[in-house]
Amino acid sequence: MEKNTKRLTRIARHKRVRKKVSGTQKSPRMSVFRSARHIYVQVIDDIQSATIASASTLDREFRDKKTGGNKKKAAKWVGQEIARRAQEKGIKEVVFDRGGYKFHGRVKILAEAAKEAGLKF
């Protein structure tokens, strides 16, 4: 049995989704990656292969806040922050790319926080 079966199935699922999901300049792709400790999100224009905005739990502003190790609160902060940063660049609508993860838990909280902060999916 393969050692990283869970990881490899997530990558395969992500590749299947990426065949269908692509970001444009008008509505870029909002891509999520989560690790055991952190969560990262980028707003990407796939046509120009450029990252427009990004936010993660490694950002200095987040580290100054200290959420006390609560990953769900961290995901909510990252969702609000990416919405704020994207709107500063004039982006109001995005295509959500969950990165092969199930749409629940931290990924869902991040998406809902971004929606509440004004991004349209």
Side-chain angles (χ1 to χ4, degrees):
M1 188 104 198
E2 187 72 35
K3 268 188 169 180
N4 294 322
T5 307
K6 199 172 190 179
R7 183 178 158 273
L8 293 175
T9 54
R10 183 197 71 82
I11 291 170
R13 200 174 338 122
H14 183 57
K15 285 181 181 178
R16 275 195 312 271
V17 170
R18 281 291 291 125
K19 286 179 188 176
K20 300 172 189 168
V21 176
S22 181
T24 62
Q25 197 167 19
K26 187 176 180 181
S27 67
R29 177 171 56 99
M30 187 168 106
S31 177
V32 176
F33 176 77
R34 68 177 174 86
S35 67
R37 280 187 171 181
H38 299 285
I39 192 159
Y40 312 81
V41 64
Q42 296 180 354
V43 175
I44 304 166
D45 178 2
D46 288 318
I47 293 171
Q48 294 182 347
S49 299
T51 299
I52 300 167
S54 66
S56 77
T57 52
L58 292 175
D59 289 351
R60 185 170 302 280
E61 299 93 28
F62 176 76
R63 284 187 280 149
D64 293 342
K65 282 188 82 113
K66 302 274 191 224
T67 60
N70 189 331
K71 295 177 190 177
K72 290 183 179 181
K73 285 182 184 174
K76 186 172 184 174
W77 181 86
V78 172
Q80 293 167 343
E81 189 64 19
I82 193 66
R84 186 185 65 77
R85 291 178 185 181
Q87 288 171 343
E88 283 177 0
K89 304 275 173 121
I91 296 164
K92 293 175 177 57
E93 189 174 323
V94 295
V95 177
F96 189 69
D97 175 9
R98 58 189 171 86
Y101 302 105
K102 292 180 181 177
F103 190 77
H104 75 100
R106 291 187 282 159
V107 175
K108 184 176 181 180
I109 290 169
L110 185 144
E112 289 173 349
K115 279 182 184 179
E116 289 172 11
L119 278 183
K120 289 184 181 177
F121 287 32

